[in-house]
Structure formats: structure tokens, C-alpha cells
Amino acid sequence: MVDEAQRVTRLAPSPTGALHLGNAMCFLAAWLIARQRGWRVVMRLDDLDGPRVKPGVSEAVLETLAWLGLDWDGEVRRQSEAMVEYEAALRVLRDKGLIYPSRVTRRELAAWSEASAPNEGQAEAVFPAGLRPSNEQLQCLIDTTPLLASDDFAWRMRVEPGGVVFSDERLGEVRVAVAEEVGDFVVATKSGVPAYQLAVVVDDVSQGVTDVIRGRDLLSSTARQMLVMHGLAMEAQQPRYWHLTLIRGSDGRRLAKRHGDTRLTAYRQLGVQPDRIRGLLAWWLGAIDRPEPISMKGCLSAFDIERLRREDIVFGTGDNAWLTS
Ligand code: GLU
């Protein structure tokens, strides 16, 4: 059991798109939960997504978070600088026979899943065990495929039936049927990049993260990350998970570009002050009864985990009008 004072959470922005109000609310919540309890807050930049990461965006994201009032402890970890660690983790998984190279294309996968069991509304095509290479092919493939430099092969994690059960600090017991939901998932892509599900596990262990606080949209990823942790025999470093309420647009979908420009930088350009943005976020978090400009100190004393909302929040035109009024 980790001592309360030794706990560590992390802020992990992706410098691919700009930060919007939904991301900001999660970061503020993570920061408040941690700082109220005297935990450390570390920063990680998820900058592995090569083509989508534009130069300078990482620095801009950090600057925007600081403008909002957040701070963090120690050096910023950048995924792009941790390749050696990811490769070492892949080697462990490979040597245990838990991952294998696969050449199956997205199109083949889509065709397969449509033919076998079309699953209405499923975001990701399921990769079934039946598409694994045969045992005869396997050894040769494993011996000849580099872990992070292959043009043709992705590495996939073998997912056995049975699912993953864990206890979430917000949601209680969660069950994810990984084999049915996604099947054998990618841990290193065909472009030779470690996949998010692998990188996050290595990062969290490396940064000593004890508490992962993030949006509920990542719930099903958590189960995959737990399988990777298990494969790496890192269960002892398993963090606690807190999955938070999401912000949705008035159409019920998760807040995104289609709901208008809710990037922090856009509001900043309009001259909106951070205390006003915090006012809306703090209200969403249940810390105050109505939106009103608030300092970081004010947020720290008003925030109460017991009042943190459990239902999703809808961002409406009224909220936007209040911010820009
Ligand atoms: N960078 C990811 C995102 O912005 C968060 C990853 C994580 O919390 O594990 O969605």
C-alpha cells in the first residue's frame, strides 16, 4: 500500500490537437485531487503520434496549462524520448511469447469482422484469435521481425478470453471483455511506433504514477493497459484508476471540434481570463453552485471530491456565452 503522501498523479496531454474545455476539466480535476492530498503531479507529453505532432505544439500545450494555473513537479517526460524503454518492454513481451507480428491490414480486419459478426456501433474492429499467424509461421516471423522498425508488421498482444475486472475509484467494479471488444490489440504499429497502450504503461511505471485520473472515454483502454502490465510482471506498480465524467455537446457526443471552437487558446485569444474558464470548470466539477470567476486557491478550497459530478455534463451555448461575456 502506497503511503498517501507518496502518491503521484500525472497530466498527460497529447500535443496533437489543441486542449479543449473537456481536457481542461480533467486536468484541473486531477490536479485538485492530487494537490488537496499533498501528492506529486508529474507531466508527460504523449508526442509519439509523429505526423500529427507539429513542431512547437508541445511547448504551447505546456504554456497553456500553466496559463490556466496548473503546475507540476520535476522534468516533463516526452514519449518521443523514451524509445529505448518501449523497446525493452516489447522485448520482454516478445520473449514471453505474449506478442506476435501481424501483417493483417485494417481493410482485411474490417472485412473479417463484418463477415463473422457485424457489431452495430462498434468503434474498433475486433481482432480475433483466428487471424493470428499459424504456429508454423510464428517462430520464423518472431525471429525476423524487428520490434520497432518494421514496415510491414504490427506487433499485437495475445488476448485470451475472460476479460479484465478492476476496481475504479469513481465507478467501482468495472468489467471489460477485452477479447470481445478489441481482441488482439496493437502494441507497436506498422510504422515502427510504440502504440499508446504500451507506452502509457511504461510511462506510468517509469514516472512512479500511483493514481491515473482521466476521462471515462479511456475506460476500455485501462483494461488493455492492465493486460500489458500483467505481461510485464509489473502488477506491483499497478496504479489506482479514477475515471471521470465527460463533457458532451448538446447532441450527446463527447465534446469535440464539431461543437465549435472550445480550445483554451481560442478563448485566450478572445481575451477570456483563466479565472473565468476555471469558473466554468469548477462549476462542472461541482465545486461551486454557479459559474463565477475563481482563482486556483479558490478552486483548491472549494473542490470537494464528494460533490464531483457523476453524470456527464453538457456544454451548451449558455456556457459559451458566459465564458465570452
Ligand atoms: N494523452 C491522452 C489523451 O489526451 C491521455 C492518455 C492517458 O491519460 O493515459 O487522451
Side-chain angles (χ1 to χ4, degrees):
M1 207 39 198
V2 183
D3 192 330
E4 207 42 29
Q6 319 252 299
R7 293 202 163 266
V8 180
T9 195
R10 36 68 152 193
L11 308 179
S14 296
T16 43
L19 294 174
H20 61 63
L21 291 171
N23 309 124
M25 188 196 75
C26 257
F27 291 139
L28 181 62
W31 190 93
L32 289 168
I33 291 171
R35 292 302 192 211
Q36 276 190 343
R37 292 165 175 73
W39 301 352
R40 276 168 59 76
V41 176
V42 295
M43 175 63 76
R44 178 185 91 219
L45 284 167
D46 288 358
D47 61 352
L48 279 182
D49 201 356
R52 288 172 51 210
V53 178
K54 300 188 198 90
V57 177
S58 295
E59 303 320 311
V61 163
L62 295 178
E63 205 270 323
T64 304
L65 288 173
W67 172 80
L68 184 65
L70 302 176
D71 63 2
W72 49 90
D73 305 306
E75 297 280 301
V76 174
R77 176 177 171 99
R78 289 162 206 269
Q79 290 187 329
S80 57
E81 294 171 359
M83 287 301 177
V84 176
E85 290 174 58
Y86 303 135
E87 192 162 12
L90 286 169
R91 202 169 301 122
V92 171
L93 296 174
R94 181 196 62 194
D95 293 350
K96 288 184 172 177
L98 296 173
I99 60 173
Y100 63 87
S102 165
R103 217 179 177 147
V104 175
T105 62
R106 221 172 265 183
R107 191 181 297 171
E108 285 165 346
L109 187 54
W112 169 286
S113 58
E114 223 159 86
S116 52
N119 211 339
E120 199 73 41
Q122 184 138 351
E124 232 167 313
V126 181
F127 192 100
L131 284 182
R132 292 175 187 164
S134 66
N135 285 341
E136 298 85 73
Q137 292 167 321
L138 206 59
Q139 201 49 51
C140 170
L141 271 179
I142 287 181
D143 291 344
T144 54
T145 311
L147 287 166
L148 278 182
S150 152
D151 270 345
D152 268 342
F153 291 93
W155 286 83
R156 288 183 178 269
M157 181 94 184
R158 282 173 187 278
V159 177
E160 305 306 339
V164 172
V165 182
F166 64 98
S167 170
D168 185 272
E169 298 297 312
R170 296 292 301 160
L171 307 173
E173 186 177 285
V174 177
R175 249 166 219 281
V176 184
V178 185
E180 288 78 25
E181 271 188 21
V182 288
D184 291 0
F185 57 90
V186 173
V187 287
T189 71
K190 284 190 183 177
S191 14
V193 179
Y196 161 72
Q197 308 295 357
L198 176 97
V200 168
V201 169
V202 174
D203 295 332
D204 286 338
V205 169
S206 174
Q207 287 189 295
V209 171
T210 61
D211 289 80
V212 170
I213 307 173
R214 59 188 178 190
R216 205 143 65 189
D217 51 327
L218 289 169
L219 198 57
S220 89
S221 286
T222 297
R224 280 172 256 175
Q225 290 158 24
M226 290 175 93
L227 291 178
V228 172
M229 282 215 133
H230 184 74
L232 293 169
M234 285 176 168
E235 293 95 334
Q237 284 110 305
Q238 178 81 57
R240 296 191 302 196
Y241 291 98
W242 309 57
H243 286 95
L244 308 181
T245 299
L246 296 178
I247 309 292
R248 301 191 180 277
S250 40
D251 57 358
R253 293 162 79 184
R254 189 162 66 95
L255 193 65
K257 268 197 199 131
R258 71 180 84 89
H259 302 113
D261 195 350
T262 67
R263 291 173 306 156
L264 297 190
T265 47
Y267 289 116
R268 192 176 176 184
Q269 266 168 19
L270 291 173
V272 179
Q273 295 300 308
D275 60 354
R276 215 165 171 83
I277 295 187
R278 283 192 298 261
L280 182 64
L281 305 180
W283 175 60
W284 281 345
L285 292 173
I288 48 181
D289 294 333
R290 72 190 71 80
E292 57 193 353
I294 188 168
S295 65
M296 281 307 270
K297 248 190 171 159
C299 288
L300 258 181
S301 56
F303 179 73
D304 176 358
I305 189 84
E306 298 302 325
R307 293 175 58 200
L308 186 57
R309 298 207 209 171
R310 289 189 182 270
E311 71 284 9
D312 285 346
I313 293 155
V314 176
F315 173 75
T317 45
D319 297 323
N320 194 53
W322 182 80
L323 275 180
T324 52
S325 59

